Amino acid sequence: MNIVDRPDIANNTHAAVLIGAGLTSYFLNENRPKTALIPPLAGSALFLLSSGMKSGDRSVAHAAVGVTSLLSIMTGVLFSKAIAPSEEARQKFKPEVRQRRASVFGLMTLTGLAAVGVYVAGFIQKRKQAESMIA
């Protein structure tokens, strides 16, 4: 078996990272920012989509790809801002906080891009299989 054949595994892995990283950010920040709860909510939604992905529901798979792609872009932007902070961000956040932010956003971005890669590879594989059955 190949990971491309089981996109639900990539989906669950990314969802678990979103939940863990988001809750970690929320509880490690004494201000308890509500925005840190966005990844856990999105991860929970991805967990709910997992069974549909496993059963091969294309609409569910496309929804998961859309949510994952959007979150990967958002966390990627935040990651880039964390590793190359503006002067204002340097003054606002201590170095250890900037490092934690870079780690958390980097991990969420990495798992999101990996999940999207698995989804796309699976779509391509299924398309090729369908075309070979026609020919």
Side-chain angles (χ1 to χ4, degrees), residues 6-87:
R6 293 288 310 272
D8 59 302
I9 293 172
N11 181 64
N12 288 341
T13 302
H14 180 56
V17 167
L18 288 172
I19 292 169
L23 291 176
T24 298
S25 292
Y26 181 78
F27 288 113
L28 288 179
N29 188 330
E30 57 278 350
N31 296 329
R32 304 287 189 263
K34 303 287 188 244
T35 55
L37 296 175
I38 294 170
L41 291 173
S44 299
L46 288 173
F47 268 133
L48 293 175
L49 296 175
S50 190
S51 63
M53 291 179 74
K54 187 174 183 177
S55 69
D57 186 327
R58 291 174 62 172
S59 298
V60 171
H62 284 90
V65 171
V67 169
T68 303
S69 298
L70 180 62
L71 283 170
S72 296
I73 291 167
M74 290 170 50
T75 58
V77 167
L78 293 169
F79 173 67
S80 68
K81 288 181 178 182
I83 61 171
S86 66
E87 190 56 42

Side-chain angles (χ1 to χ4, degrees), residues 103-124:
S103 299
V104 167
F105 291 132
L107 180 61
M108 288 190 287
T109 302
L110 180 65
T111 60
L113 293 175
V116 170
V118 169
Y119 303 154
V120 171
F123 291 152
I124 292 170

